[in-house]
Amino acid sequence: MLLLMMIFVISIIIANIMIMLALILAKKSFNDLEKLSAFECGFDPKSSARLPFSLHFFLITVIFLIFDVEIVLIMPMITIFNICQMMHWFIISTLFILILLMGLYYEWNNNMLNWTN
């Protein structure tokens, strides 16, 4: 236990030393108007670089990422089919897919899947 605590303390000390060295040796940059402005082929920008974006497209992106992660979580179910017991696999897979379907139903009821809002 003492050895584990010593390793933990030494790793914290080394991490802090590395952070301090990085802060001391880091290149200092002074922000000026030219560095903060948007770059458009050497010309002054015609409009603001900070354009508002549609919140609807942001929600669609988040929903896509959620479904993408769900697919990544479903794929190992296929590979472990031969390894584990059939009843356990069926119960866990059914519960997982039911939870995903309830989330899809919730998004559908709140009109999050409609493109025209």
Side-chain angles (χ1 to χ4, degrees):
M1 184 69 180
L2 183 63
L3 179 65
L4 186 62
M5 292 205 38
M6 283 297 283
I7 291 173
F8 178 73
V9 169
I10 290 172
S11 65
I12 294 294
I13 291 172
I14 290 173
N16 284 331
I17 290 172
M18 296 297 282
I19 289 172
M20 289 301 167
L21 281 174
L23 289 175
I24 292 170
L25 299 176
K27 180 183 172 189
K28 305 290 185 214
S29 65
F30 299 102
N31 294 334
D32 60 351
L33 185 60
E34 290 297 321
K35 287 184 179 178
L36 293 177
S37 66
F39 179 72
E40 289 186 12
C41 301
F43 298 106
D44 292 330
K46 294 182 180 180
S47 63
S48 172
R50 306 279 185 208
L51 296 176
F53 64 95
S54 173
L55 188 61
H56 185 69
F57 286 116
F58 177 74
L59 289 175
I60 294 294
T61 305
V62 169
I63 291 170
F64 170 75
L65 287 174
I66 290 170
F67 283 125
D68 198 35
V69 169
E70 289 170 359
I71 290 173
V72 168
L73 292 174
I74 287 175
M75 291 301 284
M77 283 184 184
I78 299 168
T79 59
I80 65 167
F81 180 73
N82 293 332
I83 299 170
C84 58
Q85 293 179 357
M86 182 66 163
M87 193 62 179
H88 291 166
W89 181 87
F90 182 73
I91 291 171
I92 291 171
S93 300
T94 305
L95 286 175
F96 184 71
I97 291 175
L98 280 174
I99 291 170
L100 296 181
L101 287 176
M102 287 188 319
L104 178 65
Y105 180 72
Y106 176 77
E107 290 171 354
W108 196 340
N109 273 348
N110 288 333
N111 291 328
M112 291 182 188
L113 301 176
N114 290 339
W115 280 96
T116 55
N117 274 350

